[in-house]
Amino acid sequence: MLEIKAATGDLTGYETPALIVNLFEGVTSPGGATGAVDRALGGVLSGLISDGEITGRMGETTLVHTPSLAYPSFAPSRALVLGLGKSSDFGVESVRRVTAGALRRLEQASVKRAATIVHGAGIGGLDAGESAEAIAEGALLGVYRFEKYKSKGDEGSGGRLESLTLLDVDPAKRLVLEAGIRRGAAYAGAAMAARDMVNEPGNRFPPSRMAEVACSMARAAGVECRVLDRDAVEELGMGAYLGVAAGSDQPPKFIHLSLMGDVGNPSNNLWMIGKGITFDTGGISLKPPGGMSAMKGDMAGGAAVIGAITALASLRPRINVHAVVAATENMPGGSAQRPGDVVKSMSGKYIEVDNTDAEGRLTLADAISYARSNGAERIVDVATLTGAASIALGRGQSAVFGNDDALTEAVIAAGGRRGEAMWRLPLDEASKKQNKSKVADIKNTGGRPAGTITAAHFISEFAGRTPWVHVDIAATSMADSTDGVNPSGATGVLARSLVQLAEDLASG
Ligand code: BES
Ligand code: MN
Ligand code: ZN
C-alpha cells in the first residue's frame, strides 16, 4: 500500500528517485517550483518547452533523467513534469487526475519512491490543504490494483510505488498538508473498499461474505453492524426481497450499518441504501451468456454505501448515517420465483414480478421500507439498476432522480466536488403508467422505452413522501480501460460522493 507523507524543505536539494513538478498549458517560462527546478537543471525544462516536447497539456507526463554527475545542483534522480492543462479549467479534479496518471507513469518506470510539489497552491488558486487532499486521493485511487488472484502480481503494469512525499518549502504548511493527506486517504479508502468488493468474483463473494466484510470493516472503524438473516427478514414481511433470494442456495443477508454522529438529534439522519445483488443471472428470466460475468459487480451500490460509512467513521461529521444492503444472489434455482408471480412487499403493496431480471428494484423496495420504518428523514439509494442507463447517458455520468429538489441537488453537487458526474432524469407521468399491473398494485417492469425512468418510478412508490434520491450507476460502476483516477475494473463510484454528501449535510 502506497504511503503518503508530508515534508518541508528545499525542492532541488531533496534526495528522491523522482520529483514531480507541473506546468500549465501555454506557459513558456515556468515560475514557482517548476522555475526553481528549471534553473537548477540549467534550463533543461524551458528548453523542452521551446522545443515543443513539454506543452503543459492536461495529463502530459515528461520524465527527465537528472543524474547528479550531470546536474550537481539537483538532488532528485528524475524530474517528472506534469501537464495541468489550461489554468481556466483547473481545479481539484485536475489535481486528482494528473496525480493518478503521474504515479502510474512512475510505476511503469519501476520507481519506488517519489516526491511532489503541491499543485495549484500558487497560481492555481487552491489552498495547500485542498491540494494535498486531492493529491492523496488521486494517488491512492490511481495506483489501485486488484491482483489478489494473480500469483505473481499484475505483470505488465510495472513496479509498485511505495511512498509519495508532498513537499513544500514553507515549514508552517506541514500540519495543513498532513490534515489534507488524512482526508484524501479517507475519501480514497471509501472507493477502494468498494472496488475491492466489486472486483471479487461471485463465487468468492456471496451475501454471507459481503456481510462478513461489511461487519469486520465496520467494527474496525467503530461503526455498528447488524445482519438480519432470512427468518428476521421474513418476520418483517420483506416478500419482495425474499422473492429474489428464493432461487439461490446462498442465504440472503440484510446488512445494516450505523454511525451515530449526532446522537442527540435522531432526526438528523441520512440513510444510504445500496443494491446488493452479489451475482445477477437474471433468475428464470435468464440473461444471455455474453458479458454475464460482469454481473459479479451487481452489488456495486452496496459496496459504495459500505465503503462510504466506514470512511465517514474517521471524518466524524455531525449527522447520523446508516448504510443498508439487502444482499442476495439472483439465481434460477428450483424454488426461484417465476415471471408472473405476485409478491407482497414490506410496505404492504403487492408486486407482479413480470421479469425476474428486474430484481434490484424489488430488493430496494423492501430496504427503503425498512429505512422509513426506522425513522429515515433522507434516503439516497445507489444501484446498478438498468442497462438502459448507459443507453441514455453513456459511461461518463450516473443517472439521478429524486422527489426532493434540495436533496437531489445536494447529491449532484457532492458528486461534482469529487469528480463523479451525475445527470438528473425526470420522473414523468407518462413513463410512470408503464408500471401498471393488471393483477397487482404495481409491476416490476415498464417495457423498453425509458427503462431507467420506469425503474426509478417503481422505487419512488416505496419512498413515498420521504425525501429520496436514486442514483443508477449501472453505466459507471465499471471501467473498461484506465482513465484518470479509475484503473480498469471497478470504479467504486458514488462511495466518495456519499462521504461528501454526509459532510455537506452535516455542515448545513
Ligand atoms: N443488474 C442489471 C442491470 C445492469 C445491466 C447493470 C448492465 C450493469 C450493467 C439489472 O438487474 C437488470 O437486469 N436490469 C434489466 C431490467 C429489465 C429486465 C427491465 C435491464 O437493464 O435489462
Ligand atoms: Mn437483473
Ligand atoms: Zn441486477
Side-chain angles (χ1 to χ4, degrees):
M1 170 86 165
L2 175 63
E3 187 197 356
I4 304 180
K5 47 200 177 195
T8 51
D10 169 39
L11 298 173
T12 54
Y14 194 77
E15 294 274 354
T16 177
L19 175 67
I20 302 171
V21 293
N22 64 43
L23 194 75
F24 279 108
E25 190 172 335
V27 172
T28 49
S29 63
T34 309
V37 168
D38 185 43
R39 281 190 297 281
L41 295 176
V44 168
L45 303 186
S46 36
L48 292 171
I49 294 168
S50 53
D51 289 350
E53 179 168 345
I54 300 180
T55 66
R57 270 197 290 272
M58 172 79 175
E60 176 188 78
T61 54
T62 311
L63 191 57
V64 181
H65 294 87
T66 53
S68 55
L69 221 55
Y71 303 98
S73 52
F74 191 68
S77 317
R78 295 170 187 79
L80 180 65
V81 186
L82 253 185
L84 295 183
K86 297 198 181 72
S87 57
S88 54
D89 299 340
F90 183 75
V92 283
E93 181 62 6
S94 335
V95 175
R96 292 184 200 110
R97 289 182 66 93
V98 298
T99 301
L103 299 199
R104 285 191 297 264
R105 175 75 186 82
L106 291 176
E107 287 200 333
Q108 271 158 19
S110 293
V111 170
K112 293 201 166 43
R113 289 179 298 115
T116 181
I117 63 165
V118 182
H119 309 293
I123 47 172
L126 297 181
D127 75 51
E130 267 182 316
S131 181
E133 178 177 337
I135 292 173
E137 191 177 340
L140 290 164
L141 293 170
V143 301
Y144 170 90
R145 293 183 203 174
F146 186 78
E147 43 188 20
K148 193 171 165 185
Y149 304 120
K150 283 191 175 285
S151 312
K152 294 180 192 141
D154 195 356
E155 294 160 47
S157 34
R160 304 294 342 237
L161 191 72
E162 288 162 10
S163 88
L164 176 67
T165 303
L166 275 56
L167 257 187
D168 198 289
V169 282
D170 180 4
K173 293 261 177 67
R174 186 168 180 145
L175 287 176
V176 173
L177 295 181
E178 280 168 354
I181 292 170
R182 273 195 302 277
R183 286 180 55 78
Y187 270 91
M192 292 193 295
R195 288 175 182 178
D196 279 344
M197 291 184 246
V198 174
N199 283 327
E200 284 286 352
N203 66 329
R204 292 182 174 267
F205 208 70
S208 54
R209 179 74 192 134
M210 189 165 191
E212 275 169 21
V213 168
C215 284
S216 67
M217 279 175 51
R219 269 185 222 110
V223 171
E224 197 189 321
C225 180
R226 236 166 308 174
V227 178
L228 310 188
D229 57 21
R230 197 192 301 267
D231 292 345
V233 160
E234 225 161 59
E235 196 67 38
L236 290 169
M238 296 192 187
Y241 170 40
L242 287 170
V244 176
S248 174
D249 289 341
Q250 294 292 335
K253 299 287 171 187
F254 189 95
I255 305 163
H256 177 185
L257 309 182
S258 39
L259 176 67
M260 306 307 274
D262 193 8
V263 193
N265 290 304
S267 68
N268 175 23
N269 66 42
L270 170 65
W271 287 69
M272 312 183 295
I273 299 179
K275 174 173 171 182
I277 304 298
T278 62
F279 195 85
D280 180 13
T281 64
I284 296 300
S285 312
L286 196 63
K287 287 181 180 296
M292 198 202 277
S293 63
M295 287 302 121
K296 70 176 187 178
D298 208 19
M299 28 53 73
V305 302
I306 294 168
I309 201 169
T310 45
L312 281 165
S314 68
L315 298 168
R316 292 243 144 243
R318 205 179 175 81
I319 182 170
N320 302 307
V321 184
H322 299 264
V324 172
V325 185
T328 177
E329 284 188 317
N330 185 25
M331 299 289 276
S335 28
Q337 64 183 347
R338 313 146 194 81
D341 281 3
V342 172
V343 295
K344 187 180 186 183
S345 64
M346 182 177 172
S347 71
K349 284 190 170 69
Y350 288 101
I351 303 167
E352 179 191 357
V353 182
D354 177 55
N355 186 320
T356 66
D357 197 11
E359 83 297 340
R361 63 198 79 179
L362 297 170
T363 64
L364 291 169
D366 281 343
I368 286 173
S369 297
Y370 174 87
R372 292 181 77 201
S373 71
N374 283 286
E377 293 283 337
R378 301 181 192 100
I379 297 175
V380 177
D381 83 70
V382 183
T384 48
L385 208 62
T386 64
S390 82
I391 307 299
L393 296 174
R395 307 289 305 271
Q397 56 218 317
S398 304
V400 57
F401 298 85
N403 64 6
D404 181 283
D405 290 345
L407 187 59
T408 310
E409 276 150 28
V411 170
I412 295 169
R417 291 186 60 181
R418 295 291 152 182
E420 298 187 330
M422 297 175 214
W423 192 261
R424 189 172 183 181
L425 295 178
L427 287 163
D428 64 302
E429 283 306 312
S431 308
K432 182 175 176 176
K433 295 196 179 84
Q434 294 171 220
N435 289 332
K436 280 198 171 142
S437 167
K438 291 201 168 69
V439 301
D441 297 320
I442 192 168
K443 189 171 68 161
N444 79 331
T445 55
R448 287 267 290 168
T452 302
I453 297 177
T454 55
H457 265 304
F458 181 91
I459 302 169
S460 85
E461 286 301 307
F462 298 87
R465 275 193 291 276
T466 306
W468 154 84
V469 172
H470 159 61
V471 189
D472 191 331
I473 58 167
T476 50
S477 62
M478 293 270 207
D480 297 330
S481 57
T482 301
D483 181 33
V485 301
N486 293 321
S488 68
T491 58
V493 73
L494 258 290
R496 290 180 295 131
S497 297
L498 289 170
V499 174
Q500 182 74 60
L501 175 69
E503 286 206 305
D504 291 349
L505 292 173
S507 63

